[in-house]
Amino acid sequence: MMSADDKFWIGVGDLHEDISLLNEIPDLAEASGIIISGDITNRGGRRRASQLLNTVSAINSNIYAQIGNMDRAEITDYLDEKGWNIHAKGKPLAEDIGIMGVGYSTPTPFRTPSEVPDAMLGQWLEMGYEQIKHLSKLILVAHDPPFGSKAAELPSGENVGNKSVLEFIRHIQPDICLTGHIHEADSEDFIGKTKVLNPGMLCMGGYALIQLKEGQLEAKLMYIR
């Protein structure tokens, strides 16, 4: 159990319309917020996303979310209306902490609803960072994991990460990068000082615990037991 003085956030990866384990995450209702890295639905739109996120909001209404490649672009409008969207945006999270996001993904073999060229992801990263670059601590939420990281490794050993996300992390060095997209690559890794966490799909029991401790951001991968 967290103490009343702790400030912490719960980060989850791909929902894919299965939030059956959400209530199993310890202290979720008491968290300072829940961060969703993308793939809220399975090729769904606004209606399906609202059904799922209303359930999340009933547990913790401080939501920071963005679409993944499996979500239709119209969901971004819904997230904007609710004040929950972090895609291509930067927001103050607490004190001198900022959060920013980049959703969608680069093209996949599956022709999913929200795929864009890598250069577009790079532009969105710059747009989001511009809004919170004055803050000294930063959480980056990238649906596409950075190239070369454990978060982007397929079981075959092939790395399918994103190069724009990698270059942004190398240049800016956010404290934490929460990512997803590659379900079988749940992991913790570092790129310079940036800790990269992929909790995998929520239905597999993984999530990230992000804490502010003695003025420093810390994060670790957790599993529902």
Side-chain angles (χ1 to χ4, degrees), residues 113-124:
S114 294
E115 300 178 2
V116 294
D118 191 31
M120 189 73 249
L121 295 185
Q123 290 179 38
W124 282 331

Side-chain angles (χ1 to χ4, degrees), residues 17 19 40-41 44-58 63 71 74-75 78-79 81-82 84:
E17 303 194 8
I19 54 175
I40 298 164
T41 70
R46 178 190 183 102
R47 180 178 177 184
R48 187 63 181 129
S50 67
Q51 291 170 340
L52 293 158
L53 293 176
N54 284 342
T55 300
V56 177
S57 180
I63 295 173
D71 301 306
E74 66 190 58
I75 294 174
Y78 167 73
L79 294 174
E81 290 167 17
K82 301 293 287 187
W84 294 339

Side-chain angles (χ1 to χ4, degrees), residues 12 20 49 86 156 179:
V12 297
S20 57
I86 55 172
S156 65
T179 186

Side-chain angles (χ1 to χ4, degrees), residues 14-57:
D14 301 22
L15 303 186
H16 288 292
E17 303 194 8
D18 188 343
I19 54 175
S20 57
L21 292 180
L22 201 64
N23 278 310
E24 302 297 318
I25 298 177
D27 304 316
L28 180 58
E30 289 74 41
S32 302
I34 179 168
I35 304 167
I36 302 170
S37 69
D39 281 0
I40 298 164
T41 70
N42 292 322
R43 299 179 183 264
R46 178 190 183 102
R47 180 178 177 184
R48 187 63 181 129
S50 67
Q51 291 170 340
L52 293 158
L53 293 176
N54 284 342
T55 300
V56 177
S57 180

Side-chain angles (χ1 to χ4, degrees), residues 8-212:
F8 69 98
W9 298 265
I10 299 296
V12 297
D14 301 22
L15 303 186
H16 288 292
E17 303 194 8
D18 188 343
I19 54 175
S20 57
L21 292 180
L22 201 64
N23 278 310
E24 302 297 318
I25 298 177
D27 304 316
L28 180 58
E30 289 74 41
S32 302
I34 179 168
I35 304 167
I36 302 170
S37 69
D39 281 0
I40 298 164
T41 70
N42 292 322
R43 299 179 183 264
R46 178 190 183 102
R47 180 178 177 184
R48 187 63 181 129
S50 67
Q51 291 170 340
L52 293 158
L53 293 176
N54 284 342
T55 300
V56 177
S57 180
I59 302 170
N60 191 314
S61 60
N62 293 321
I63 295 173
Y64 303 86
Q66 63 190 10
I67 70 168
N69 59 294
M70 286 291 289
D71 301 306
R72 296 198 335 236
E74 66 190 58
I75 294 174
T76 293
D77 292 335
Y78 167 73
L79 294 174
D80 276 330
E81 290 167 17
K82 301 293 287 187
W84 294 339
N85 186 38
I86 55 172
H87 168 65
K89 293 180 181 291
K91 295 183 176 185
L93 193 62
E95 300 167 18
D96 57 348
I97 304 171
I99 187 170
M100 59 170 286
V102 61
Y104 291 70
S105 82
T106 48
T108 74
F110 311 109
R111 297 185 179 181
T112 56
S114 294
E115 300 178 2
V116 294
D118 191 31
M120 189 73 249
L121 295 185
Q123 290 179 38
W124 282 331
L125 283 162
E126 293 302 324
M127 287 170 59
Y129 182 61
E130 187 66 24
Q131 299 172 45
I132 40 80
K133 65 182 182 181
H134 59 288
L135 299 173
S136 63
K137 300 178 185 66
L138 176 60
I139 299 171
L140 167 65
V141 186
H143 182 63
D144 242 1
F147 179 76
S149 68
K150 293 178 183 177
E153 262 185 29
L154 298 178
S156 65
E158 182 183 3
N159 198 284
V160 292
N162 183 274
K163 293 184 178 179
S164 287
V165 174
L166 172 63
E167 289 309 310
F168 180 85
I169 291 174
R170 280 179 170 169
H171 179 61
I172 301 298
Q173 289 282 273
D175 297 84
I176 295 161
C177 173
L178 176 69
T179 186
H181 190 46
I182 309 302
H183 304 155
E184 54 272 70
D186 53 313
S187 59
E188 294 183 359
D189 200 2
F190 279 92
I191 298 173
K193 80 175 187 72
T194 301
K195 189 164 191 179
V196 180
L197 301 101
N198 181 353
M201 288 191 295
L202 176 61
C203 67
M204 299 302 291
Y207 65 97
L209 175 62
I210 302 169
Q211 294 174 273
L212 181 63

